[in-house]
Amino acid sequence: MLYASDYISPCGKLLIVVDNFSLKGVWFYNQKYFKANIDDELIFKDNKKSIQTKNWLNRYFNNEKPIVDINLKPNGTHFQKEVWKLLSKIPYGQVTSYADIANKIAKLHSINKMSAQAIGNAVSKNPISIIIPCHRVIGSNNKLVGYAAGLEIKKKLLDFERDGYI
């Protein structure tokens, strides 16, 4: 059984989807891939996991730089999960490039090269916005590119992490 609830952030309204054990997704309403890989009917009701997620988001938007203490269980392919795991290691307030992640994945698989475009595709399908920080991935030329919720929200999140306010 999946439970859903809304969260109003300074960047826009978010949908939180959980089960009794883990967080399945956090999406900005109207973002690309909204509720992707969530096929079950959603019951709009808070539970322990959704409240825990809302508390984490409150701490994040209060600039407390919270550690991720939530059991995350995003639905995706093995490759996507590998990429999302690397995203989770990007420190608060820092950025990395799609090419850097591609190099790390290539090294993990003992191959010479991995496509940054394949990484971008996996990053764009991250179902747990903000908590798995896909907003911290930028283009190799240090430009803001690709964010499922839009570049304006990506910029707001990066500016917030740098300056402490939205």
PDB file of all heavy atoms in Angstrom, residues 39-68:
ATOM      1  N   ASP A  39       2.814   2.614  -9.865  1.00  0.00           N
ATOM      2  CA  ASP A  39       1.616   2.097 -10.519  1.00  0.00           C
ATOM      3  C   ASP A  39       0.466   1.848  -9.545  1.00  0.00           C
ATOM      4  O   ASP A  39      -0.688   1.743  -9.952  1.00  0.00           O
ATOM      5  CB  ASP A  39       1.942   0.788 -11.255  1.00  0.00           C
ATOM      6  CG  ASP A  39       2.975   1.006 -12.345  1.00  0.00           C
ATOM      7  OD1 ASP A  39       2.930   2.059 -13.004  1.00  0.00           O
ATOM      8  OD2 ASP A  39       3.840   0.130 -12.518  1.00  0.00           O
ATOM      9  N   ASP A  40       0.785   1.727  -8.261  1.00  0.00           N
ATOM     10  CA  ASP A  40      -0.244   1.449  -7.262  1.00  0.00           C
ATOM     11  C   ASP A  40      -1.124   2.675  -7.031  1.00  0.00           C
ATOM     12  O   ASP A  40      -0.696   3.815  -7.241  1.00  0.00           O
ATOM     13  CB  ASP A  40       0.394   1.050  -5.926  1.00  0.00           C
ATOM     14  CG  ASP A  40       1.175  -0.241  -6.006  1.00  0.00           C
ATOM     15  OD1 ASP A  40       1.232  -0.843  -7.091  1.00  0.00           O
ATOM     16  OD2 ASP A  40       1.739  -0.652  -4.979  1.00  0.00           O
ATOM     17  N   GLU A  41      -2.322   2.410  -6.565  1.00  0.00           N
ATOM     18  CA  GLU A  41      -3.208   3.491  -6.171  1.00  0.00           C
ATOM     19  C   GLU A  41      -2.631   4.164  -4.930  1.00  0.00           C
ATOM     20  O   GLU A  41      -2.102   3.501  -4.031  1.00  0.00           O
ATOM     21  CB  GLU A  41      -4.598   2.934  -5.861  1.00  0.00           C
ATOM     22  CG  GLU A  41      -5.604   4.001  -5.530  1.00  0.00           C
ATOM     23  CD  GLU A  41      -6.986   3.426  -5.274  1.00  0.00           C
ATOM     24  OE1 GLU A  41      -7.268   2.310  -5.761  1.00  0.00           O
ATOM     25  OE2 GLU A  41      -7.764   4.086  -4.573  1.00  0.00           O
ATOM     26  N   LEU A  42      -2.725   5.476  -4.890  1.00  0.00           N
ATOM     27  CA  LEU A  42      -2.198   6.240  -3.760  1.00  0.00           C
ATOM     28  C   LEU A  42      -3.311   6.609  -2.802  1.00  0.00           C
ATOM     29  O   LEU A  42      -4.379   7.063  -3.223  1.00  0.00           O
ATOM     30  CB  LEU A  42      -1.516   7.513  -4.262  1.00  0.00           C
ATOM     31  CG  LEU A  42      -0.339   7.330  -5.204  1.00  0.00           C
ATOM     32  CD1 LEU A  42       0.178   8.685  -5.681  1.00  0.00           C
ATOM     33  CD2 LEU A  42       0.767   6.531  -4.553  1.00  0.00           C
ATOM     34  N   ILE A  43      -3.044   6.427  -1.526  1.00  0.00           N
ATOM     35  CA  ILE A  43      -3.964   6.841  -0.473  1.00  0.00           C
ATOM     36  C   ILE A  43      -3.385   8.108   0.140  1.00  0.00           C
ATOM     37  O   ILE A  43      -2.263   8.087   0.663  1.00  0.00           O
ATOM     38  CB  ILE A  43      -4.113   5.740   0.595  1.00  0.00           C
ATOM     39  CG1 ILE A  43      -4.698   4.485  -0.041  1.00  0.00           C
ATOM     40  CG2 ILE A  43      -4.953   6.233   1.765  1.00  0.00           C
ATOM     41  CD1 ILE A  43      -4.630   3.259   0.835  1.00  0.00           C
ATOM     42  N   PHE A  44      -4.114   9.213   0.036  1.00  0.00           N
ATOM     43  CA  PHE A  44      -3.616  10.469   0.590  1.00  0.00           C
ATOM     44  C   PHE A  44      -3.816  10.489   2.096  1.00  0.00           C
ATOM     45  O   PHE A  44      -4.908  10.731   2.595  1.00  0.00           O
ATOM     46  CB  PHE A  44      -4.289  11.668  -0.095  1.00  0.00           C
ATOM     47  CG  PHE A  44      -3.562  12.086  -1.333  1.00  0.00           C
ATOM     48  CD1 PHE A  44      -3.744  11.396  -2.517  1.00  0.00           C
ATOM     49  CD2 PHE A  44      -2.658  13.140  -1.304  1.00  0.00           C
ATOM     50  CE1 PHE A  44      -3.059  11.756  -3.656  1.00  0.00           C
ATOM     51  CE2 PHE A  44      -1.970  13.509  -2.434  1.00  0.00           C
ATOM     52  CZ  PHE A  44      -2.153  12.816  -3.624  1.00  0.00           C
ATOM     53  N   LYS A  45      -2.730  10.158   2.779  1.00  0.00           N
ATOM     54  CA  LYS A  45      -2.751  10.076   4.240  1.00  0.00           C
ATOM     55  C   LYS A  45      -1.305  10.063   4.711  1.00  0.00           C
ATOM     56  O   LYS A  45      -0.469   9.350   4.162  1.00  0.00           O
ATOM     57  CB  LYS A  45      -3.453   8.790   4.666  1.00  0.00           C
ATOM     58  CG  LYS A  45      -3.532   8.585   6.156  1.00  0.00           C
ATOM     59  CD  LYS A  45      -4.222   7.260   6.479  1.00  0.00           C
ATOM     60  CE  LYS A  45      -4.208   7.015   7.969  1.00  0.00           C
ATOM     61  NZ  LYS A  45      -4.772   5.714   8.323  1.00  0.00           N
ATOM     62  N   ASP A  46      -1.014  10.848   5.744  1.00  0.00           N
ATOM     63  CA  ASP A  46       0.327  10.826   6.322  1.00  0.00           C
ATOM     64  C   ASP A  46       0.521   9.557   7.139  1.00  0.00           C
ATOM     65  O   ASP A  46      -0.411   9.028   7.731  1.00  0.00           O
ATOM     66  CB  ASP A  46       0.550  12.043   7.229  1.00  0.00           C
ATOM     67  CG  ASP A  46       1.009  13.263   6.456  1.00  0.00           C
ATOM     68  OD1 ASP A  46       1.822  13.116   5.524  1.00  0.00           O
ATOM     69  OD2 ASP A  46       0.547  14.372   6.785  1.00  0.00           O
ATOM     70  N   ASN A  47       1.747   9.084   7.129  1.00  0.00           N
ATOM     71  CA  ASN A  47       2.148   8.002   8.024  1.00  0.00           C
ATOM     72  C   ASN A  47       3.531   8.349   8.570  1.00  0.00           C
ATOM     73  O   ASN A  47       4.055   9.450   8.314  1.00  0.00           O
ATOM     74  CB  ASN A  47       2.107   6.627   7.331  1.00  0.00           C
ATOM     75  CG  ASN A  47       3.216   6.419   6.316  1.00  0.00           C
ATOM     76  OD1 ASN A  47       4.054   7.291   6.083  1.00  0.00           O
ATOM     77  ND2 ASN A  47       3.237   5.261   5.692  1.00  0.00           N
ATOM     78  N   LYS A  48       4.121   7.451   9.310  1.00  0.00           N
ATOM     79  CA  LYS A  48       5.410   7.711   9.958  1.00  0.00           C
ATOM     80  C   LYS A  48       6.479   8.122   8.941  1.00  0.00           C
ATOM     81  O   LYS A  48       7.257   9.044   9.177  1.00  0.00           O
ATOM     82  CB  LYS A  48       5.839   6.453  10.724  1.00  0.00           C
ATOM     83  CG  LYS A  48       7.095   6.616  11.523  1.00  0.00           C
ATOM     84  CD  LYS A  48       7.420   5.345  12.299  1.00  0.00           C
ATOM     85  CE  LYS A  48       8.722   5.491  13.056  1.00  0.00           C
ATOM     86  NZ  LYS A  48       9.063   4.288  13.807  1.00  0.00           N
ATOM     87  N   LYS A  49       6.517   7.468   7.779  1.00  0.00           N
ATOM     88  CA  LYS A  49       7.548   7.749   6.775  1.00  0.00           C
ATOM     89  C   LYS A  49       7.324   9.096   6.087  1.00  0.00           C
ATOM     90  O   LYS A  49       8.269   9.817   5.799  1.00  0.00           O
ATOM     91  CB  LYS A  49       7.628   6.624   5.738  1.00  0.00           C
ATOM     92  CG  LYS A  49       8.202   5.351   6.301  1.00  0.00           C
ATOM     93  CD  LYS A  49       9.614   5.588   6.816  1.00  0.00           C
ATOM     94  CE  LYS A  49      10.121   4.427   7.619  1.00  0.00           C
ATOM     95  NZ  LYS A  49      11.394   4.701   8.282  1.00  0.00           N
ATOM     96  N   SER A  50       6.065   9.439   5.812  1.00  0.00           N
ATOM     97  CA  SER A  50       5.816  10.742   5.179  1.00  0.00           C
ATOM     98  C   SER A  50       6.113  11.877   6.154  1.00  0.00           C
ATOM     99  O   SER A  50       6.668  12.910   5.759  1.00  0.00           O
ATOM    100  CB  SER A  50       4.394  10.836   4.630  1.00  0.00           C
ATOM    101  OG  SER A  50       3.443  10.757   5.658  1.00  0.00           O
ATOM    102  N   ILE A  51       5.792  11.681   7.410  1.00  0.00           N
ATOM    103  CA  ILE A  51       6.102  12.699   8.423  1.00  0.00           C
ATOM    104  C   ILE A  51       7.620  12.837   8.579  1.00  0.00           C
ATOM    105  O   ILE A  51       8.138  13.957   8.667  1.00  0.00           O
ATOM    106  CB  ILE A  51       5.402  12.364   9.759  1.00  0.00           C
ATOM    107  CG1 ILE A  51       3.895  12.532   9.593  1.00  0.00           C
ATOM    108  CG2 ILE A  51       5.936  13.228  10.901  1.00  0.00           C
ATOM    109  CD1 ILE A  51       3.067  11.970  10.731  1.00  0.00           C
ATOM    110  N   GLN A  52       8.329  11.723   8.572  1.00  0.00           N
ATOM    111  CA  GLN A  52       9.788  11.752   8.637  1.00  0.00           C
ATOM    112  C   GLN A  52      10.369  12.518   7.434  1.00  0.00           C
ATOM    113  O   GLN A  52      11.291  13.315   7.584  1.00  0.00           O
ATOM    114  CB  GLN A  52      10.334  10.320   8.674  1.00  0.00           C
ATOM    115  CG  GLN A  52      11.834  10.235   8.803  1.00  0.00           C
ATOM    116  CD  GLN A  52      12.326   8.781   8.758  1.00  0.00           C
ATOM    117  OE1 GLN A  52      11.663   7.894   8.238  1.00  0.00           O
ATOM    118  NE2 GLN A  52      13.507   8.570   9.302  1.00  0.00           N
ATOM    119  N   THR A  53       9.797  12.295   6.260  1.00  0.00           N
ATOM    120  CA  THR A  53      10.249  12.986   5.050  1.00  0.00           C
ATOM    121  C   THR A  53       9.967  14.482   5.142  1.00  0.00           C
ATOM    122  O   THR A  53      10.828  15.309   4.818  1.00  0.00           O
ATOM    123  CB  THR A  53       9.576  12.387   3.803  1.00  0.00           C
ATOM    124  OG1 THR A  53       9.897  10.989   3.738  1.00  0.00           O
ATOM    125  CG2 THR A  53      10.044  13.084   2.537  1.00  0.00           C
ATOM    126  N   LYS A  54       8.781  14.838   5.614  1.00  0.00           N
ATOM    127  CA  LYS A  54       8.438  16.252   5.770  1.00  0.00           C
ATOM    128  C   LYS A  54       9.359  16.922   6.786  1.00  0.00           C
ATOM    129  O   LYS A  54       9.789  18.069   6.584  1.00  0.00           O
ATOM    130  CB  LYS A  54       6.975  16.412   6.190  1.00  0.00           C
ATOM    131  CG  LYS A  54       6.005  16.106   5.071  1.00  0.00           C
ATOM    132  CD  LYS A  54       4.568  16.225   5.542  1.00  0.00           C
ATOM    133  CE  LYS A  54       3.610  15.929   4.404  1.00  0.00           C
ATOM    134  NZ  LYS A  54       2.203  16.113   4.815  1.00  0.00           N
ATOM    135  N   ASN A  55       9.692  16.223   7.855  1.00  0.00           N
ATOM    136  CA  ASN A  55      10.627  16.775   8.844  1.00  0.00           C
ATOM    137  C   ASN A  55      12.003  17.001   8.224  1.00  0.00           C
ATOM    138  O   ASN A  55      12.663  18.009   8.497  1.00  0.00           O
ATOM    139  CB  ASN A  55      10.728  15.866  10.070  1.00  0.00           C
ATOM    140  CG  ASN A  55       9.490  15.932  10.932  1.00  0.00           C
ATOM    141  OD1 ASN A  55       8.743  16.909  10.902  1.00  0.00           O
ATOM    142  ND2 ASN A  55       9.242  14.882  11.696  1.00  0.00           N
ATOM    143  N   TRP A  56      12.447  16.061   7.380  1.00  0.00           N
ATOM    144  CA  TRP A  56      13.733  16.220   6.694  1.00  0.00           C
ATOM    145  C   TRP A  56      13.684  17.447   5.785  1.00  0.00           C
ATOM    146  O   TRP A  56      14.606  18.268   5.789  1.00  0.00           O
ATOM    147  CB  TRP A  56      14.076  14.963   5.877  1.00  0.00           C
ATOM    148  CG  TRP A  56      15.469  15.007   5.329  1.00  0.00           C
ATOM    149  CD1 TRP A  56      16.581  14.457   5.889  1.00  0.00           C
ATOM    150  CD2 TRP A  56      15.912  15.660   4.119  1.00  0.00           C
ATOM    151  NE1 TRP A  56      17.690  14.717   5.107  1.00  0.00           N
ATOM    152  CE2 TRP A  56      17.292  15.458   4.028  1.00  0.00           C
ATOM    153  CE3 TRP A  56      15.266  16.390   3.130  1.00  0.00           C
ATOM    154  CZ2 TRP A  56      18.058  15.968   2.964  1.00  0.00           C
ATOM    155  CZ3 TRP A  56      16.017  16.906   2.082  1.00  0.00           C
ATOM    156  CH2 TRP A  56      17.396  16.683   2.006  1.00  0.00           C
ATOM    157  N   LEU A  57      12.605  17.565   5.011  1.00  0.00           N
ATOM    158  CA  LEU A  57      12.474  18.720   4.118  1.00  0.00           C
ATOM    159  C   LEU A  57      12.413  20.031   4.908  1.00  0.00           C
ATOM    160  O   LEU A  57      13.012  21.034   4.492  1.00  0.00           O
ATOM    161  CB  LEU A  57      11.236  18.562   3.228  1.00  0.00           C
ATOM    162  CG  LEU A  57      11.348  17.487   2.142  1.00  0.00           C
ATOM    163  CD1 LEU A  57       9.980  17.148   1.562  1.00  0.00           C
ATOM    164  CD2 LEU A  57      12.328  17.893   1.046  1.00  0.00           C
ATOM    165  N   ASN A  58      11.736  20.032   6.036  1.00  0.00           N
ATOM    166  CA  ASN A  58      11.720  21.231   6.893  1.00  0.00           C
ATOM    167  C   ASN A  58      13.136  21.602   7.324  1.00  0.00           C
ATOM    168  O   ASN A  58      13.518  22.784   7.291  1.00  0.00           O
ATOM    169  CB  ASN A  58      10.851  21.019   8.134  1.00  0.00           C
ATOM    170  CG  ASN A  58       9.374  21.030   7.831  1.00  0.00           C
ATOM    171  OD1 ASN A  58       8.930  21.589   6.830  1.00  0.00           O
ATOM    172  ND2 ASN A  58       8.602  20.402   8.705  1.00  0.00           N
ATOM    173  N   ARG A  59      13.911  20.615   7.740  1.00  0.00           N
ATOM    174  CA  ARG A  59      15.295  20.871   8.154  1.00  0.00           C
ATOM    175  C   ARG A  59      16.124  21.382   6.978  1.00  0.00           C
ATOM    176  O   ARG A  59      16.915  22.311   7.115  1.00  0.00           O
ATOM    177  CB  ARG A  59      15.919  19.618   8.774  1.00  0.00           C
ATOM    178  CG  ARG A  59      15.301  19.238  10.116  1.00  0.00           C
ATOM    179  CD  ARG A  59      16.070  18.168  10.893  1.00  0.00           C
ATOM    180  NE  ARG A  59      16.580  17.057  10.122  1.00  0.00           N
ATOM    181  CZ  ARG A  59      15.929  15.896   9.921  1.00  0.00           C
ATOM    182  NH1 ARG A  59      14.735  15.701  10.433  1.00  0.00           N
ATOM    183  NH2 ARG A  59      16.490  14.921   9.226  1.00  0.00           N
ATOM    184  N   TYR A  60      15.932  20.764   5.810  1.00  0.00           N
ATOM    185  CA  TYR A  60      16.658  21.192   4.618  1.00  0.00           C
ATOM    186  C   TYR A  60      16.352  22.660   4.315  1.00  0.00           C
ATOM    187  O   TYR A  60      17.266  23.474   4.125  1.00  0.00           O
ATOM    188  CB  TYR A  60      16.283  20.301   3.422  1.00  0.00           C
ATOM    189  CG  TYR A  60      16.906  20.761   2.116  1.00  0.00           C
ATOM    190  CD1 TYR A  60      18.196  20.358   1.770  1.00  0.00           C
ATOM    191  CD2 TYR A  60      16.211  21.589   1.241  1.00  0.00           C
ATOM    192  CE1 TYR A  60      18.773  20.787   0.584  1.00  0.00           C
ATOM    193  CE2 TYR A  60      16.784  22.015   0.056  1.00  0.00           C
ATOM    194  CZ  TYR A  60      18.063  21.613  -0.265  1.00  0.00           C
ATOM    195  OH  TYR A  60      18.634  22.047  -1.440  1.00  0.00           O
ATOM    196  N   PHE A  61      15.065  23.000   4.258  1.00  0.00           N
ATOM    197  CA  PHE A  61      14.693  24.367   3.900  1.00  0.00           C
ATOM    198  C   PHE A  61      14.928  25.361   5.039  1.00  0.00           C
ATOM    199  O   PHE A  61      14.840  26.573   4.826  1.00  0.00           O
ATOM    200  CB  PHE A  61      13.250  24.426   3.382  1.00  0.00           C
ATOM    201  CG  PHE A  61      13.119  23.872   1.994  1.00  0.00           C
ATOM    202  CD1 PHE A  61      12.418  22.693   1.766  1.00  0.00           C
ATOM    203  CD2 PHE A  61      13.709  24.513   0.919  1.00  0.00           C
ATOM    204  CE1 PHE A  61      12.315  22.174   0.473  1.00  0.00           C
ATOM    205  CE2 PHE A  61      13.620  24.008  -0.374  1.00  0.00           C
ATOM    206  CZ  PHE A  61      12.916  22.834  -0.592  1.00  0.00           C
ATOM    207  N   ASN A  62      15.269  24.885   6.217  1.00  0.00           N
ATOM    208  CA  ASN A  62      15.733  25.748   7.307  1.00  0.00           C
ATOM    209  C   ASN A  62      17.251  25.834   7.319  1.00  0.00           C
ATOM    210  O   ASN A  62      17.843  26.325   8.282  1.00  0.00           O
ATOM    211  CB  ASN A  62      15.222  25.247   8.663  1.00  0.00           C
ATOM    212  CG  ASN A  62      13.778  25.608   8.884  1.00  0.00           C
ATOM    213  OD1 ASN A  62      13.315  26.651   8.445  1.00  0.00           O
ATOM    214  ND2 ASN A  62      13.046  24.728   9.550  1.00  0.00           N
ATOM    215  N   ASN A  63      17.878  25.310   6.258  1.00  0.00           N
ATOM    216  CA  ASN A  63      19.329  25.359   6.060  1.00  0.00           C
ATOM    217  C   ASN A  63      20.096  24.633   7.159  1.00  0.00           C
ATOM    218  O   ASN A  63      21.182  25.046   7.548  1.00  0.00           O
ATOM    219  CB  ASN A  63      19.803  26.814   5.922  1.00  0.00           C
ATOM    220  CG  ASN A  63      21.109  26.901   5.171  1.00  0.00           C
ATOM    221  OD1 ASN A  63      21.427  26.058   4.342  1.00  0.00           O
ATOM    222  ND2 ASN A  63      21.886  27.936   5.453  1.00  0.00           N
ATOM    223  N   GLU A  64      19.532  23.536   7.660  1.00  0.00           N
ATOM    224  CA  GLU A  64      20.195  22.747   8.690  1.00  0.00           C
ATOM    225  C   GLU A  64      21.096  21.660   8.107  1.00  0.00           C
ATOM    226  O   GLU A  64      21.734  20.924   8.857  1.00  0.00           O
ATOM    227  CB  GLU A  64      19.144  22.128   9.620  1.00  0.00           C
ATOM    228  CG  GLU A  64      18.370  23.171  10.397  1.00  0.00           C
ATOM    229  CD  GLU A  64      17.247  22.573  11.228  1.00  0.00           C
ATOM    230  OE1 GLU A  64      17.295  21.365  11.561  1.00  0.00           O
ATOM    231  OE2 GLU A  64      16.303  23.333  11.538  1.00  0.00           O
ATOM    232  N   LYS A  65      21.129  21.523   6.787  1.00  0.00           N
ATOM    233  CA  LYS A  65      21.973  20.542   6.100  1.00  0.00           C
ATOM    234  C   LYS A  65      21.804  19.136   6.695  1.00  0.00           C
ATOM    235  O   LYS A  65      22.758  18.512   7.142  1.00  0.00           O
ATOM    236  CB  LYS A  65      23.434  20.965   6.141  1.00  0.00           C
ATOM    237  CG  LYS A  65      23.674  22.321   5.529  1.00  0.00           C
ATOM    238  CD  LYS A  65      25.087  22.794   5.722  1.00  0.00           C
ATOM    239  CE  LYS A  65      25.183  24.212   5.199  1.00  0.00           C
ATOM    240  NZ  LYS A  65      26.034  25.064   5.945  1.00  0.00           N
ATOM    241  N   PRO A  66      20.579  18.630   6.689  1.00  0.00           N
ATOM    242  CA  PRO A  66      20.320  17.342   7.347  1.00  0.00           C
ATOM    243  C   PRO A  66      20.968  16.164   6.616  1.00  0.00           C
ATOM    244  O   PRO A  66      21.079  16.167   5.388  1.00  0.00           O
ATOM    245  CB  PRO A  66      18.796  17.222   7.294  1.00  0.00           C
ATOM    246  CG  PRO A  66      18.404  18.011   6.093  1.00  0.00           C
ATOM    247  CD  PRO A  66      19.391  19.159   6.030  1.00  0.00           C
ATOM    248  N   ILE A  67      21.406  15.192   7.403  1.00  0.00           N
ATOM    249  CA  ILE A  67      21.868  13.943   6.803  1.00  0.00           C
ATOM    250  C   ILE A  67      20.628  13.141   6.399  1.00  0.00           C
ATOM    251  O   ILE A  67      19.556  13.316   6.982  1.00  0.00           O
ATOM    252  CB  ILE A  67      22.760  13.119   7.761  1.00  0.00           C
ATOM    253  CG1 ILE A  67      21.989  12.748   9.029  1.00  0.00           C
ATOM    254  CG2 ILE A  67      24.048  13.849   8.102  1.00  0.00           C
ATOM    255  CD1 ILE A  67      22.640  11.669   9.825  1.00  0.00           C
ATOM    256  N   VAL A  68      20.791  12.300   5.418  1.00  0.00           N
ATOM    257  CA  VAL A  68      19.650  11.502   4.967  1.00  0.00           C
ATOM    258  C   VAL A  68      19.512  10.311   5.913  1.00  0.00           C
ATOM    259  O   VAL A  68      20.299   9.370   5.882  1.00  0.00           O
ATOM    260  CB  VAL A  68      19.817  11.047   3.501  1.00  0.00           C
ATOM    261  CG1 VAL A  68      18.648  10.165   3.098  1.00  0.00           C
ATOM    262  CG2 VAL A  68      19.921  12.246   2.581  1.00  0.00           C
TER     263      VAL A  68
END
